[in-house]
């Protein structure tokens, strides 16, 4: 039997598992630094967010852990930050096009791209920190980790912004070297990419405002190896990028200031999982082998004990959904309870 996974709120006793995921995530994965103190703080913030003990709703940072229900092992994670740029600046480069023209030079005209430093995503909700152990990828696990974040937004819409963004890791090699950083950032920060990445994860980012150039940087003046990776994501993030595009996220020519990775954004109400999900009443039953069963996701649709699992679902009249008793148990619900489902089309 394939493993049954459930996404659940992180707990303080997940620290060891979260450290293991951080070590496996590799260089450039800013949201999972290999730093026990930082990860412990994130677990504390997540617990406060799920139990609504943060000072303001938009400060909430929700961390979800993927658990193999058969073994109890944590094999992945994903997260939602309710509001970016509120407690610290969220700097990025926007790629703008400058039109150049001269009548004196024989009506010559051409366009040039330039990078300008911006902090324009203040208040956006951010989805990220999606990482699965290599042995647990495929079979719908990636979709579960990704889509559970949008089902969380659907469960408590007032806690999240109407605008949602995602930042994808840019091109970084196995040694932790970023061609974008080597050709641009290093000249202004005089430090390695890994050190800048660490400071970004552990400080209030004032160092970026202090050291980053304040004037436009012409892309054509950068070496080819830097130009080629602007707006490109890491090879390990291609699947996540495709899922974001499927949800309706679009690249709007904004990139990370360290590795040049793309930022994508969408309006919350247009996110596909949210649009296509609905609330049903659960009924326990055996749906294996039924031709009218659809694959999908089922969530408890409530905080603080928010849980999501993959399931085969048969929907009957009056919005009654039949799923296996094991899934209902994994969601810590009872037959007759309300839940939210998203079903994959045939």
């Amino acid at each position: 039997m394939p493993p049954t996974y459930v996404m659940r709120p992180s707990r303080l006793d997940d620290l060891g598992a979260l450290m293991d995921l951080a070590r496996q995530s590799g260089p450039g994965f800013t949201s999972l630094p290999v730093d026990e103190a930082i990860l412990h703080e994130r677990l504390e913030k997540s617990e406060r967010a799920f139990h609504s003990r943060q000072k303001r709703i938009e400060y909430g940072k929700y961390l979800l852990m993927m658990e193999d229900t058969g073994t109890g092992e944590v094999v992945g994670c994903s997260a939602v930050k309710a509001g970016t740029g509120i407690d610290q600046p969220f700097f990025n480069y926007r790629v703008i096009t400058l039109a150049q023209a001269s009548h004196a030079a024989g009506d010559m005209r051409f366009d040039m791209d330039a990078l300008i430093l911006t902090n324009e995503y203040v208040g956006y909700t951010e989805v990220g920190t999606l990482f699965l152990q290599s042995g647990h990828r495929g079979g719908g696990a990636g979709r579960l980790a990704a889509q559970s974040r949008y089902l969380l937004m659907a469960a408590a819409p007032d806690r999240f912004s109407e605008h949602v963004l995602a930042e994808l890791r840019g091109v970084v090699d196995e040694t932790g070297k970023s061609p974008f950083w080597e050709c641009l950032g290093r000249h202004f920060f005089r430090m390695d990419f890994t050190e800048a990445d660490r400071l970004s994860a552990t400080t209030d980012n004032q160092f970026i405002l202090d050291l980053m150039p304040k004037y436009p940087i012409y892309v054509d003046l950068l070496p080819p190896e830097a130009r080629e990776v602007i707006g490109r994501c890491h090879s390990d993030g291609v699947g996540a990028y495709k899922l974001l595009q499927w949800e309706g996220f679009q690249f709007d020519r904004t990139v990370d200031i360290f590795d040049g990775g793309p930022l994508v954004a969408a309006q919350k109400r247009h996110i596909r999982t949210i649009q296509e999900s609905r609330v049903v009443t659960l009924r326990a039953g055996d749906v294996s082998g039924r031709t009218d069963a659809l694959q999908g996701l089922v969530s408890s649709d409530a905080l603080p004990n928010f849980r999501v699992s993959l399931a085969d679902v048969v929907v009957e009249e009056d919005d009654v959904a039949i799923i296996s008793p094991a899934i209902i148990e994994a969601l810590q619900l009872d037959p007759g309870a309300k839940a939210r489902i998203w079903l994959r089309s045939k």
Side-chain angles (χ1 to χ4, degrees):
M1 291 289 292
T4 298
Y5 299 113
V6 65
M7 298 295 295
R8 59 159 177 82
S10 62
R11 305 186 300 253
L12 294 181
D13 62 3
D14 287 321
L15 180 58
L18 193 58
M19 281 290 291
D20 288 340
L21 293 175
R23 293 188 188 99
Q24 296 172 47
S25 66
F29 208 108
T30 310
S31 59
L32 277 180
V34 185
D35 187 303
E36 187 170 306
I38 293 174
L39 295 183
H40 184 267
E41 182 183 13
R42 290 188 179 176
L43 291 173
E44 289 181 327
K45 287 181 177 180
S46 179
E47 186 176 78
R48 289 199 299 270
F50 275 104
H51 289 86
S52 297
R53 294 201 299 270
Q54 67 276 13
K55 294 180 181 178
R56 294 169 59 186
I57 287 291
E58 62 264 31
Y59 277 88
K61 298 178 180 180
Y62 303 80
L63 180 61
L64 294 163
M65 310 301 286
M66 179 180 286
E67 183 178 302
D68 182 334
T69 59
T71 64
E73 180 187 9
V74 171
V75 299
C77 61
S78 63
V80 181
K81 184 177 181 180
T84 61
I86 295 173
D87 50 355
Q88 62 187 48
F90 184 62
F91 294 113
N92 300 282
Y93 275 137
R94 174 163 290 281
V95 185
I96 63 171
T97 299
L98 301 172
Q100 311 279 8
S102 174
H103 295 295
D107 290 329
M108 182 180 292
R109 185 190 184 282
F110 55 91
D111 296 338
M112 296 188 71
D113 285 344
L115 305 172
I116 58 170
L117 190 67
T118 69
N119 180 27
E120 60 186 283
Y121 291 109
V122 176
Y124 275 54
T125 288
E126 181 182 6
V127 294
T129 321
L130 196 161
F131 182 77
L132 305 181
Q133 292 181 0
S134 58
H136 295 270
R137 297 169 188 170
R143 278 189 170 274
L144 172 61
Q147 291 179 257
S148 61
R149 300 172 300 185
Y150 312 123
L151 293 175
L152 174 62
M153 293 181 202
D158 292 343
R159 297 188 180 207
F160 304 99
S161 171
E162 292 303 313
H163 301 280
V164 185
L165 70 88
E167 182 179 18
L168 290 118
R169 178 166 40 161
V171 176
V172 181
D173 68 20
E174 62 278 0
T175 68
K177 181 173 288 188
S178 160
F180 185 76
W181 176 262
E182 293 301 318
C183 297
L184 178 56
R186 178 182 283 279
H187 295 291
F188 297 96
F189 289 83
R190 306 295 172 89
M191 64 182 71
D192 290 338
F193 172 76
T194 52
E195 175 63 11
D197 205 36
R198 185 192 68 80
L199 286 174
S200 176
T202 60
T203 71
D204 61 4
N205 286 338
Q206 179 63 39
F207 80 106
I208 298 175
L209 189 61
D210 293 339
L211 301 177
M212 211 63 182
K214 310 302 188 295
Y215 301 99
I217 297 169
Y218 284 88
V219 172
D220 283 355
L221 298 180
L222 297 176
E225 57 268 32
R227 296 200 303 266
E228 290 169 0
V229 299
I230 295 175
R232 278 178 51 195
C233 70
H234 192 281
S235 57
D236 287 348
V238 172
Y241 197 0
K242 290 180 179 178
L243 284 176
L244 287 164
Q245 291 173 317
W246 179 87
E247 290 284 357
F249 285 78
Q250 295 182 339
F251 175 55
D252 192 27
R253 306 190 82 197
T254 309
V255 301
D256 182 77
I257 61 171
F258 294 150
D259 59 26
L263 276 78
V264 294
Q267 291 189 47
K268 184 174 66 178
R269 68 178 185 273
H270 292 159
I271 293 174
R272 188 169 180 175
T273 296
I274 296 176
Q275 280 190 328
E276 296 179 356
S277 68
R278 56 178 166 140
V279 176
V280 297
T281 302
L282 296 182
R283 197 173 86 194
D286 183 8
V287 298
S288 58
R290 289 189 55 165
T291 58
D292 54 349
L294 294 174
Q295 292 183 326
L297 303 174
V298 183
S299 86
S300 58
D301 200 41
L303 278 67
N305 191 27
F306 177 78
R307 301 171 78 88
V308 189
S309 185
L310 294 163
D312 290 330
V313 183
V314 172
V315 179
E316 297 186 330
E317 294 180 357
D318 300 322
D319 284 329
V320 172
I322 305 173
I323 65 173
S324 75
I327 298 298
I328 293 178
E329 182 180 357
L331 297 174
Q332 297 183 355
L333 295 174
D334 297 314
K338 296 291 184 181
R340 182 176 296 272
I341 62 171
W342 171 87
L343 300 178
R344 182 180 295 184
S345 301
K346 287 186 177 180

